[in-house]
Amino acid sequence: MNKHLKLVREFHDAFSIPQAQQGANVRLSEMDVIMRQALLMEEGSMLFRAIKAGDMVEILAAMINLAYCALGAIAIQGADVSDQPVSWQHDGFVISLMRLFSGKINDCASGNPDDYSEVYDLCVYLSRGFINADFDKAFQMVHDSKMSRLDKSGKLPVENAEETLKSKFFKTLDLSDCLYE
């Protein structure tokens, strides 16, 4: 199993977010696809705002959050990440990134774990190759921050899983230590 997916599954267990057993490969319901699509679009919007601002730390944080969200959809299906080749070549135009991410996020409306894997794989690839960042370290930092939000009794101070996913309870971290330059 993908190491980042293991962390997301740990997060789901800790925050009582329903997920299928690993290997079950359960299809998402129509409402789950809609909710996951809304979450991906929200994270994609944050990424586009960071790209517009040109802040590499914010771009990295947005890519980590987008990858985390894509892995969440894979986890609730009980699937595993499929390594998808990323074909992107820097053409000197930032809008090509927007088109690439928009297309991959749009493809996730299928509910297919492979499409969510493509979003995750794109975030990994561009974090490492375009931003020149330590994706693993950044992902671990974001995960640790999310897990630290549990109170002393191991509970989250929000009512349900959907509220947890939609809330701004998880603030963006400073991931500048994860940039190589």
Side-chain angles (χ1 to χ4, degrees), residues 2 9 12 18 27 30 43 49 53 56 60 67 76 78 80 94 120 131 138 144 152 154 157 167:
N2 177 287
R9 290 184 66 80
H12 283 194
R27 296 281 307 160
E30 189 175 275
E43 295 301 338
R49 286 187 188 108
M56 294 304 225
L60 175 60
I76 64 173
D80 200 356
V94 178
Y120 165 77
I131 297 178
D144 291 346
K152 303 264 188 269
S167 74

Side-chain angles (χ1 to χ4, degrees), residues 69-134:
C69 185
L71 289 172
I74 295 168
I76 64 173
Q77 294 181 75
D80 200 356
V81 174
S82 58
D83 292 327
Q84 304 287 333
V86 175
S87 63
W88 178 79
Q89 187 172 8
H90 189 29
D91 60 4
F93 298 101
V94 178
I95 200 156
S96 67
L97 286 173
M98 190 251 346
R99 287 185 184 121
L100 183 62
F101 276 105
S102 293
K104 296 297 181 193
I105 290 169
N106 185 55
D107 291 345
C108 291
S110 70
N112 185 332
D114 289 341
D115 292 328
Y116 294 108
S117 290
E118 286 187 25
V119 170
Y120 165 77
D121 292 333
L122 180 60
C123 291
V124 173
Y125 176 81
L126 291 175
S127 294
R128 292 177 176 156
F130 180 65
I131 297 178
N132 197 23
D134 185 339

Side-chain angles (χ1 to χ4, degrees), residues 15 147-157:
F15 291 91
M147 294 300 285
S148 73
R149 301 295 186 235
L150 290 171
D151 67 15
K152 303 264 188 269
S153 68
K155 303 269 191 238
L156 184 68

Side-chain angles (χ1 to χ4, degrees), residues 25-41:
N25 293 325
V26 175
R27 296 281 307 160
L28 291 175
S29 71
E30 189 175 275
M31 289 299 115
D32 283 336
V33 170
I34 291 169
M35 185 177 104
R36 290 290 161 182
Q37 193 68 11
L39 293 170
L40 285 172
M41 291 171 73

Side-chain angles (χ1 to χ4, degrees), residues 139-171:
F139 197 94
Q140 187 67 55
M141 286 175 66
V142 168
H143 174 72
D144 291 346
S145 175
K146 289 177 183 282
M147 294 300 285
S148 73
R149 301 295 186 235
L150 290 171
D151 67 15
K152 303 264 188 269
S153 68
K155 303 269 191 238
L156 184 68
V158 287
E159 297 290 319
N160 61 47
E162 188 170 332
E163 185 180 339
T164 301
L165 293 171
K166 287 181 181 177
S167 74
K168 293 297 179 194
F169 186 71
F170 301 109
K171 67 178 187 164

